[in-house]
């Protein structure tokens, strides 16, 4: 029996900043962002969006495509995020209600920077192995924020990915071996009292590649596939150039042939969506997977994909999956394209107005004006409680 990703969709905010409008503010050429970092745009959350609304939007099409029995078979929801909205209650519990899932389910939130989505996927696979009749809904949802004016600012973004993990998956079967690497390093973190991350940019790039080395070596020690037996590579993408750098690093340490054209072909299709979205932390690598599946012109059925998931702090995992025959019939490429094309562009002053999250601490009644055209929104924070609602867009998505 094979286990893996049966369905996958992503969501992002419905507005974006073109990095051509950020470069002059930072006094740099736009090529520093488009070429140096490999980023064109960043998604920017409206004041009525957060990780809950993004997560619910990503999962809505998956749930809408299930019948009553299918929905009842989702007995676990794992939500990975490092942009949590509460120290106690899981963001996933709000999402569970917004999606109308069965009360006969467990819901939990996982955290280890950008890596947590992969831990959720691995735990989901273990649960499905125990009972192949059950489905696990894995959601990765994040809003990446750095200080305004900092070097991390052009790598901001936001997004969520929802994956249905099942037996006999229709998209990608995940293979059992993983290479793991953990090391206590202060490359990027966000203390409880901050809304933006603290980062040592140079160290973070070194920590990422060190982790890749460790995870690759462990995968080999575990008996995992050789470099030459992997057809495409999906890396965590804090900015897409990082994936290109990581791939060059892996080819070096794996002693693989270093033909520039072949190396580019092994990652190019994984980068397309994230160039337009920016960093979405836990969701980023899985948006990279969607990008590969949605854009590959050749049929990838039977191809082996290598995944490298990295979360600062730092945990890395390298694992592989095999694309399933007939996967193309189950992709959501047109919806993903529409989502990105229909975003509204904001100017730099507009971005500055909406980039800070709504975060009243007085326990009063704070109504939040409708802005987003996404299927779910936060309508108020009242008595310290976040209030969420479906919008007309959710009903349109169902119709
Ligand atoms: P910086 O100091 O502004 O940029 O910060 P730089 O000076 O290093 O330049 C960046 C690249 O642009 C360089 O390319 C320049 O040469 C090039 P490289 O040499 O590295 O290949 N460049 C140009 N190219 C074309 N035309 C030009 C031009 N000028 C310069 N005119 C940094 C860059 C990434 C450090 C910063 O954006 C940052 O701190 N970002 C946040 C941290 C980050 O993303 N780290 C990545 C690894 S850690 C990770 O992935 C985990 C994370 O997702 C969090 C989590 O796990 O939760 C972040």
């Amino acid at each position: 029996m094979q286990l893996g990703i049966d369905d996958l969709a992503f969501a992002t905010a419905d507005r974006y900043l073109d990095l051509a409008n950020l470069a002059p503010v930072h006094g740099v050429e736009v090529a520093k962002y488009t070429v140096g970092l490999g980023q064109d745009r960043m998604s920017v959350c409206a004041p009525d969006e957060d990780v809950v609304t993004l997560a619910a939007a990503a999962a809505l099409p998956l749930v809408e495509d299930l019948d009553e029995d299918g929905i009842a078979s989702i007995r676990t929801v794992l939500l990975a995020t490092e942009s949590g909205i509460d120290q106690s209650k899981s963001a996933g519990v709000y999402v569970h209600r917004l999606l109308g899932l069965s009360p006969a389910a467990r819901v939990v939130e996982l955290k280890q920077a950008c890596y947590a989505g992969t831990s959720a996927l691995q735990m989901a696979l273990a649960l499905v192995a125990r009972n192949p009749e059950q489905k696990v809904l894995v959601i990765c949802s994040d809003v990446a924020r750095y200080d305004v004016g900092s070097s991390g600012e052009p790598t901001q973004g936001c997004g969520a990915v929802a994956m249905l993990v099942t037996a006999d998956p229709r998209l990608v079967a995940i293979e059992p071996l993983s290479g793991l690497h953990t090391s206590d390093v202060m490359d990027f973190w966000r203390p409880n009292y901050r809304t933006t991350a603290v980062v040592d940019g140079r160290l973070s790039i070194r920590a990422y590649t060190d982790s890749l080395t460790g995870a690759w070596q462990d995968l080999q020690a575990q008996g995992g596939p050789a470099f030459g037996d992997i057809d495409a590579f999906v890396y965590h993408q804090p900015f897409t150039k990082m994936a290109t750098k990581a791939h060059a690093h892996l080819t070096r340490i794996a002693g693989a042939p270093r033909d520039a054209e072949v190396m580019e072909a092994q990652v190019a299709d994984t980068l397309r969506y994230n160039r337009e979205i920016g960093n979405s932390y836990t969701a980023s690598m899985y948006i990279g997977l969607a990008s590969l599946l949605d854009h590959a012109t050749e049929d990838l059925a039977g191809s082996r994909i290598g995944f490298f998931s990295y979360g600062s702090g730092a945990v890395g995992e390298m694992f592989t999956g095999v694309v399933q025959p007939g996967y193309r019939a189950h992709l959501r490429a047109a919806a993903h394209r529409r989502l990105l094309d229909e975003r509204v562009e904001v100017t730099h002053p507009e971005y500055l107005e909406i980039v800070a999250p709504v975060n009243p601490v007085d326990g009063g009644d704070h109504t939040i004006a409708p802005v987003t055209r996404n299927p779910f929104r936060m309508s108020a924070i009242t008595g310290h409680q976040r209030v969420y609602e479906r919008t007309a867009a959710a009903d349109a998505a169902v119709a």
Side-chain angles (χ1 to χ4, degrees):
M1 181 182 57
Q2 306 215 75
L3 308 172
I5 303 168
D6 184 67
D7 198 357
L8 179 155
F10 74 82
T12 186
D14 79 333
R15 45 214 63 220
Y16 73 91
L17 177 71
D18 192 316
L19 295 186
N21 296 321
L22 185 63
V25 181
H26 280 238
V28 300
E29 288 173 19
V30 67
K32 174 166 181 184
Y33 300 156
T34 55
V35 180
L37 297 178
Q39 291 302 129
D40 297 324
R41 295 173 170 182
M42 63 161 86
S43 281
V44 184
C45 272
D48 55 347
E49 290 180 299
D50 67 6
V51 284
V52 168
T53 66
L54 291 174
L60 183 66
L62 275 53
V63 173
E64 296 296 355
D65 279 358
L66 295 172
D67 59 16
E68 227 172 275
D69 288 347
I71 292 176
S73 67
I74 301 177
R75 290 181 55 85
T76 303
V77 179
L78 301 176
L79 193 147
T81 185
E82 57 175 301
S83 322
I85 48 148
D86 195 288
Q87 290 285 20
S88 300
K89 180 166 173 164
S90 159
V93 172
Y94 298 98
V95 176
H96 172 274
R97 177 188 47 89
L98 290 170
L99 295 173
L101 299 180
S102 162
R106 59 170 79 81
V107 181
V108 72
E109 185 168 310
L110 296 97
K111 178 178 67 183
Q112 172 32 51
C114 303
Y115 166 73
T118 295
S119 73
L121 174 62
Q122 294 293 359
M123 288 174 194
L125 293 165
L127 284 167
V128 176
R130 257 176 85 161
N131 181 351
E133 298 301 311
Q134 296 186 7
K135 299 176 177 25
V136 178
L137 179 59
V138 170
I139 311 177
C140 310
S141 184
D142 267 305
V143 179
R145 294 200 57 243
Y146 297 89
D147 286 337
V148 167
S150 70
S151 63
E153 189 182 19
T155 69
Q156 291 179 148
C158 61
V161 153
M163 296 179 277
L164 213 48
V165 177
T166 67
D168 302 323
R170 293 174 300 175
L171 298 180
V172 180
I174 302 298
E175 297 186 295
L177 295 178
S178 275
L180 305 172
H181 188 264
T182 290
S183 109
D184 186 359
V185 45
M186 295 304 282
D187 61 327
F188 166 108
W189 67 105
R190 183 169 67 84
N192 286 342
Y193 49 83
R194 285 182 63 102
T195 57
T196 54
V198 186
V199 62
D200 180 338
R202 293 283 116 211
L203 174 63
S204 74
I205 290 171
R206 225 172 31 249
Y208 181 120
T209 49
D210 287 351
S211 183
L212 173 57
T213 303
W216 173 255
Q217 288 172 346
D218 187 48
L219 182 65
Q220 295 308 295
Q222 302 294 318
F227 185 97
D229 293 331
I230 303 175
D231 303 294
F233 293 80
V234 187
Y235 293 89
H236 168 53
Q237 296 168 23
F239 49 94
T240 66
K241 182 81 173 290
M242 187 69 229
T244 317
K245 280 175 188 288
H247 195 52
H249 179 78
L250 184 62
T251 53
R252 231 179 350 258
I253 59 169
R258 308 200 69 234
D259 177 311
E261 233 173 83
V262 174
M263 283 162 66
E264 206 212 312
Q266 287 169 331
V267 295
D269 281 332
T270 74
L271 312 178
R272 301 191 194 284
Y273 288 145
N274 282 326
R275 275 193 84 92
E276 300 183 53
I277 294 172
N279 197 351
S280 55
Y281 293 157
T282 50
S284 145
M285 189 181 79
Y286 297 98
I287 292 178
L289 170 61
S291 185
L292 170 65
L293 298 177
D294 288 355
H295 290 101
T297 47
E298 77 279 26
D299 188 345
L300 293 177
S303 300
R304 177 178 279 129
I305 303 175
F307 296 88
F308 176 64
S309 177
Y310 175 74
S312 285
V315 179
E317 178 163 344
M318 184 121 205
F319 60 100
T320 54
V322 176
V323 181
Q324 295 302 289
Y327 75 97
R328 278 179 152 165
H330 309 292
L331 297 179
R332 299 177 181 279
H336 290 152
R337 193 62 261 161
R338 211 167 36 245
L339 193 78
L340 295 179
D341 289 347
E342 289 179 358
R343 287 179 303 172
V344 178
E345 181 174 0
V346 294
T347 62
H348 185 260
E350 286 167 342
Y351 148 75
L352 285 182
E353 245 175 66
I354 62 173
V355 70
V358 177
N359 195 21
V361 295
D362 61 8
D365 291 339
H366 301 272
T367 303
I368 303 167
V371 180
T372 182
R373 297 164 303 148
N374 273 335
F376 300 95
R377 63 179 296 271
M378 179 169 57
S379 58
I381 298 181
T382 179
H384 296 295
Q385 295 180 34
R386 286 176 178 242
V387 182
Y388 295 101
E389 63 185 21
R390 274 170 82 99
T391 69
D395 301 322
V398 180

